[in-house]
Amino acid sequence: MSSNVFKNVLDVSSIINLNNPSTIAFFQESITKNWNLKALSDYQGETYLYKDIAEKIERAHILYRSIGLKPGDKAALCGKNCANWAIAFLSILSYGAVPVPILADFKSDYIHNIVNHSEARLLYVGESQWKSIDTDKMPAIEGYFNISGLELIQSQNRKLTDTYGKLDEIFSQRFPNGFGKNDVAFFKEKDRNDLAILNYTSGTTSFPKGVMIPYRALRMLLIYSLNKMPLKPGSDTVCMLPLAHMFGLMFEFIYDFTLGCHIHFLTKIPSPKIIFQTFREFKPTLIITVPLVIEKVVNNGLMPIMDKPSMKIALRIPILRQIILRGIRNKLIDIFGGKMVELIIGGAALSKEVENCLRTINFPYSVGYGATECAPLISYTHWNTFKPGTCGQPIDGVTVEIHSSDPENTPGEITIKGDNVMLGYYKNPEATAQAIDDDGWFYTGDMGLMDKHGFITIKGRSKNMILGSSGQNIYPEEIETIINKLPLVAESLVVERDGKLIGLIVADPEAARTGSLSRQQIEQRLDASRKEMNESLPAYERVHSFQLMEESFEKTPKGSIKRFLYQ
């Protein structure tokens, strides 16, 4: 189904050759066409032109060749967003190797496990991650690079060490007249089904799964974005979502870079103050974000105003209502920089209250739906045809089916078919077979509805996964495994309430009786254990509080907790 009546006013064919059989060639073409334009900037830091990036990539390729890195070999990245993170990523992808992005807030054990499981040969690492990792636990890594400066900081390969020491000399000898457009030569993939990116899902106690994203998935979403989203070459964009997640990687970097935009990276965890300061400064036309950002603005700024008794009275007067709502809408657009034409929200659903408020003022927003396994976009609709309460329609080239006898009224599992679907889970044929059937349908584990116009409404998650407000995948069973090991805990259930993770706890009666503890003492000890536990978890998986249950959880005949009773 064709999902949008909106079409980009750009003649995309004049910007980039969409018929080029190589996806990587899109990046090469963008670099050469936008040679002297600004490309990547760290907020209040260094700026690189497209030609600067080309030279840095070529220098990296010289180092890769020195160790015999081959197309298909893996190189991992673990650090906070910055311009050099993006350059490192491009250097790996354009060489034909496979980037392995790792979330910067993963603990050291997860970093070690992912690096080893992926068989990465190189690791670009942030300063804080470098301090916490143990290189002895990653014996296959031949070289470590500082992600913020791209310097080699440790090498297990003599050829890499020697080449890095003579890199300036080698580069000058190879390009005695300087490095120009004609010297840019990127790898061209041989098969659209070859592996392009290995992106690990979030995990806690069980090992994160490596999602194998093929070139065809990148190509499909690139072409869709170039045709359907309202950016133009030279536009300023702000990257605030983690690049180690496909949502941020695809729509705040890959799409923007291919189009020839100037991308500004918020190199630290972005506070609302910094986010809106950058919006005012760079005035982006398209903003990609998660519910947390817009909900904070609406809940703290708009709703208190609109809930005032005097405002409610004024809004009942037709002439005043139109003037007031237009003024509020313009004020909110000003907060986002003043030139915004659309705000696209993904990662999790918007609250009904916030969505109602945005619809009331006719704010230009849309909600999309995706999964890492789909690289990540599944559905989206331009804001002027968006249906409230949904997450848009299937994007061009994607077929969605709801496994239900009545998809419009009875929820069923959402299944996806299209070029955006992953190859499978790396080294995990069992999980792959459970997720993708013989006909290529991907089973999302999400329950939903789809109306006759193709608008999708998410109703629940059959796999119990919780989507964090910043777009992270949170698996409650994994957190429960940790909680169940704590003193005084018999069993637990992790639920999401008001955007926070809450641990429902059934106390171990034997342990409580042995210590002759009161309920208050049990709660105090549990809270102390919770705080200690949180220190070992990524920030987005930390449990806000424990709630002591009066009785055991209701269970199925198999002994599984009936989760739906406690949501």
Side-chain angles (χ1 to χ4, degrees):
M1 174 182 298
S2 179
S3 61
N4 298 309
V5 298
F6 171 79
K7 182 173 175 59
N8 202 328
V9 296
L10 291 171
D11 177 9
V12 180
S13 62
S14 67
I15 300 169
I16 194 163
N17 179 14
L18 298 181
N19 295 318
N20 197 313
S22 169
T23 301
I24 292 177
F26 287 9
F27 300 97
Q28 180 173 334
E29 188 175 347
S30 178
I31 285 174
T32 55
K33 280 194 172 184
N34 302 294
W35 193 251
N36 290 307
L37 297 182
K38 294 178 181 178
L40 309 175
S41 293
D42 290 331
Y43 182 59
Q44 297 181 338
E46 193 162 0
T47 292
Y48 300 104
L49 306 182
Y50 278 86
K51 65 180 180 181
D52 299 330
I53 294 167
E55 182 172 325
K56 284 179 173 289
I57 288 174
E58 180 57 33
R59 287 174 174 271
H61 287 182
I62 292 171
L63 296 174
Y64 300 162
R65 286 191 287 269
S66 74
I67 64 170
L69 195 72
K70 302 183 298 297
D73 284 351
K74 318 296 189 307
L77 309 94
C78 185
K80 293 180 180 177
N81 289 7
C82 64
N84 277 324
W85 192 107
I87 293 171
F89 175 89
L90 285 175
S91 74
I92 299 164
L93 188 70
S94 62
Y95 186 83
V98 178
V100 184
I102 302 173
L103 283 167
D105 49 4
F106 270 156
K107 299 298 180 182
S108 57
D109 286 346
Y110 297 97
I111 298 172
H112 300 153
N113 288 336
I114 291 173
V115 166
N116 293 332
H117 184 263
S118 69
E119 301 172 290
R121 294 180 60 185
L122 298 170
L123 176 60
Y124 286 88
V125 62
E127 292 179 9
S128 60
Q129 291 76 26
W130 176 246
K131 292 175 183 177
S132 66
I133 60 173
D134 184 347
T135 57
D136 290 337
K137 293 183 178 180
M138 296 177 288
I141 293 294
E142 297 171 51
Y144 295 88
F145 294 88
N146 179 351
I147 209 166
S148 62
L150 304 180
E151 305 97 348
L152 181 67
I153 50 178
Q154 185 169 312
S155 172
Q156 268 66 255
N157 186 302
R158 182 62 181 268
K159 289 184 178 179
L160 178 62
T161 305
D162 292 346
T163 303
Y164 183 80
K166 299 182 294 183
L167 187 55
D168 288 341
E169 179 184 344
I170 294 171
F171 191 85
S172 297
Q173 289 175 351
R174 185 161 297 177
F175 306 103
N177 299 318
F179 187 80
K181 294 181 184 180
N182 294 332
D183 297 311
V184 180
F186 288 175
F187 174 82
K188 292 179 174 58
E189 68 271 18
K190 295 179 174 62
D191 192 309
R192 64 197 295 271
N193 288 305
D194 284 346
L195 177 62
I197 300 171
L198 184 56
N199 195 217
Y200 280 79
T201 58
S202 306
T204 305
T205 57
S206 65
F207 189 67
K209 295 191 289 290
V211 177
M212 296 189 288
I213 306 293
Y215 289 108
R216 59 170 161 76
L218 296 184
R219 180 186 185 84
M220 174 186 173
L221 292 182
L222 263 177
I223 291 175
Y224 177 82
S225 304
L226 290 166
N227 277 303
K228 294 294 177 71
M229 292 185 179
L231 277 181
K232 298 179 181 179
S235 297
D236 285 287
T237 63
V238 176
C239 178
M240 55 185 167
L241 299 175
L243 288 171
H245 256 293
M246 280 306 301
F247 185 32
L249 181 64
M250 189 72 221
F251 295 108
E252 289 193 335
F253 170 50
I254 290 177
Y255 158 51
D256 311 46
F257 187 88
T258 304
L259 190 57
C261 295
H262 181 191
I263 307 165
H264 302 266
F265 295 95
L266 304 183
T267 55
K268 298 179 180 179
I269 296 175
S271 65
K273 180 180 178 181
I274 293 296
I275 289 172
F276 293 109
Q277 185 175 318
T278 60
F279 289 159
R280 287 193 300 272
E281 186 172 343
F282 303 119
K283 305 184 187 312
T285 54
L286 175 67
I287 295 174
I288 308 288
T289 189
V290 292
L292 180 65
V293 173
I294 187 67
E295 286 178 354
K296 280 189 174 182
V297 175
V298 174
N299 288 329
N300 297 333
L302 292 190
M303 283 189 178
I305 295 173
M306 297 182 74
D307 285 341
K308 289 181 178 180
S310 58
M311 180 63 75
K312 289 182 177 180
I313 293 172
L315 289 173
R316 295 193 191 107
I317 303 171
I319 298 176
L320 289 179
R321 178 181 176 83
Q322 187 176 1
I323 295 172
I324 291 170
L325 293 181
R326 186 187 303 118
I328 294 174
R329 180 185 190 274
N330 291 340
K331 180 65 175 176
L332 185 54
I333 288 177
D334 284 342
I335 289 174
F336 285 97
K339 291 188 177 180
M340 189 200 75
V341 298
E342 185 174 23
L343 183 143
I344 301 175
I345 301 164
L350 266 180
S351 72
K352 289 183 178 179
E353 295 78 11
V354 169
E355 188 156 15
N356 288 339
C357 185
L358 294 176
R359 297 301 296 185
T360 299
I361 64 172
N362 196 33
F363 190 74
Y365 82 98
S366 183
V367 179
Y369 166 55
T372 301
E373 290 86 347
C374 293
L377 193 60
I378 295 169
S379 64
Y380 154 81
T381 303
H382 187 258
W383 78 271
N384 58 17
T385 55
F386 176 70
K387 182 179 179 181
T390 73
C391 51
Q393 301 160 297
I395 65 170
D396 297 342
V398 168
T399 303
V400 173
E401 286 190 357
I402 307 293
H403 282 235
S404 166
S405 58
D406 182 10
E408 289 193 47
N409 300 294
T410 303
E413 184 170 4
I414 301 171
T415 58
I416 313 295
K417 194 172 188 179
D419 279 351
N420 60 332
V421 173
M422 66 174 178
L423 298 170
Y425 296 112
Y426 190 59
K427 296 182 182 177
N428 197 337
E430 296 82 7
T432 299
Q434 291 176 359
I436 304 175
D437 69 17
D438 292 340
D439 295 320
W441 286 95
F442 169 61
Y443 287 71
T444 65
D446 296 333
M447 305 295 285
L449 304 171
M450 187 163 65
D451 68 17
K452 61 183 179 181
H453 300 294
F455 284 97
I456 300 168
T457 302
I458 307 296
K459 302 301 290 184
R461 306 195 177 275
S462 64
K463 296 178 181 177
N464 304 321
M465 185 187 77
I466 297 171
L467 275 176
S469 59
S470 295
Q472 305 96 337
N473 297 342
I474 301 170
Y475 297 90
E477 297 95 333
E478 298 173 352
I479 304 174
E480 289 156 13
T481 301
I482 297 176
I483 295 175
N484 291 342
K485 295 177 182 178
L486 299 177
L488 303 178
V489 176
E491 54 185 349
S492 64
L493 192 69
V494 172
V495 298
E496 182 188 28
R497 291 179 181 169
D498 298 324
K500 298 181 177 65
L501 296 181
I502 307 297
L504 309 182
I505 307 294
V506 173
D508 181 350
E510 197 61 40
R513 191 180 303 113
T514 301
S516 301
L517 300 175
S518 66
R519 181 184 178 91
Q520 183 179 8
Q521 289 173 318
I522 293 173
E523 289 176 339
Q524 289 173 343
R525 293 195 181 187
L526 284 173
D527 195 54
S529 296
R530 176 189 64 81
K531 292 175 181 176
E532 183 177 350
M533 174 193 74
N534 279 343
E535 291 299 315
S536 65
L537 295 173
Y540 60 85
E541 289 185 336
R542 291 174 183 168
V543 178
H544 179 263
S545 63
F546 282 163
Q547 178 183 325
L548 200 58
M549 303 295 290
E550 297 292 341
E551 53 190 29
S552 297
F553 298 113
E554 283 194 42
K555 299 181 177 67
T556 66
K558 290 184 179 181
S560 301
I561 297 172
K562 294 182 178 179
R563 288 181 173 270
F564 67 93
L565 296 176
Y566 302 95
Q567 299 301 318

